[in-house]
Amino acid sequence: MPKPVGPVCNLDCSYCYYLEKDRIYPEKEGKLKSFTMSDEVLEHFIQQYIAAQPDQIPEVTFTWHGGEPTLAGLPYFEKIIALQKKYAKGKNIKNNIQTNGMFIDDDWAKFLHQHDWLVGLSIDGPQDLHDPLRPTKGGKGSFEGAMNAVRLFKKHQVEFNTLTVVNQLNAQHPKRVYQFLKGIGSRFMQFIPIQEVEALTTTEDLISPQFQGEVKPTKESVKPEDFGNFLITIFDQWVRQDVGRYFVQHFDIALSTYMGYPASLCIFSKYCGQAGAMEHSGDVFACDHYVYPEYKIGNITKDDLQKMIQSPQQRAFGVDKFQSLSEDCLNCQYLKMCFGECPKNRFAKTDQGEKIAYLCEGYFMFFEHISPYLKQMKELLDQQRPPAEIMNLIKKKRKK
């Protein structure tokens, strides 16, 4: 996950876990120009990333993230296209970009359509649920800017999905959030729960997973029960009306893991460590959620990308996800659907004092509620029938 402008962003979201990363590079003082990835770093990355893909895989996908990556400017991304063509070696190159949409104009939208980029738009629901926690640096709301991006995506036929941060505000309104996302034309939805911490004692250090002090959830972090209810409420509407028409990442992965397949999302995988993050400087870190000095595994201008990801340090990081599970997790009936979630979020404790995922209770509620429906959908798939048929089965059951 390359970050063309590092942690620099035009928004000042109160829940953002990444804005603080500029403290890793104090000499840059938050200036956009100094945080923009150099041509040298960019070319090293594109060349190595394509070369690192297995020969038998014909397609290579880049995911551009931030901060706000569009701050680098459209000419910068035209440069990306030129470099990808230079090093493609016959492979089909695909690109994804995650954006708040504030800088999208007709030129940007034309570029995204022309080169078939998939856009992830960050939007947290209707304006009264979006603006309070997603202000601009000047304190204004960002909702209108995001909605303008939606209009331009539709005008220029740009494929987009939505990423919604579930926080303590919008978690209280799952139906409104879901209906809103459907209403703006999002057919693929990601719900990312905020679960950040702050130190109980004053500290100037970044609170990495190795932080030894006492912590508590931030006020924006969604409570476990509220997150469970959020997912359940949306699932109940989806499973009755929208299967096969709208796609929710949590639901797709839950069905896949219920059927015995590996999770396609790292937080629910048994092991992790295959999804590194690269800062503007070329520094490569173990994961997007582990961009801390102690988790740096190399630099793209000095080290080989494939060797960094396959290094003993990174392999140990990935394996530790499972090996550090609590006894409660290992004995949980939903272990294979969750695997203890992301290790960074294990800041709650069991009765025995072992670390456990902060949202464990919410995920358990969710898995328990949806399991009967997943069982039916699995049976449909085993019979080579579409899982969307579950909607008719539910209707028939209601009529009896």
Side-chain angles (χ1 to χ4, degrees), residues 48-54 274 297 300 303-311 314-315:
Q48 288 198 45
Y49 187 73
I50 294 173
Q53 309 306 315
Q274 295 298 307
I297 58 176
I300 198 74
D303 306 296
D304 180 79
L305 180 61
Q306 193 166 19
K307 289 181 179 178
M308 283 187 274
I309 296 299
Q310 295 177 352
S311 67
Q314 185 70 353
R315 287 181 181 274

Side-chain angles (χ1 to χ4, degrees), residues 9 36-37 41 52 126 155 165 175 181 225 348 359 382 396:
C9 189
T36 301
M37 189 180 294
V41 170
K155 175 183 175 182
V165 175
K175 288 183 179 179
L181 295 175
E225 184 177 356
L359 292 178
D382 288 343
K396 289 178 181 178

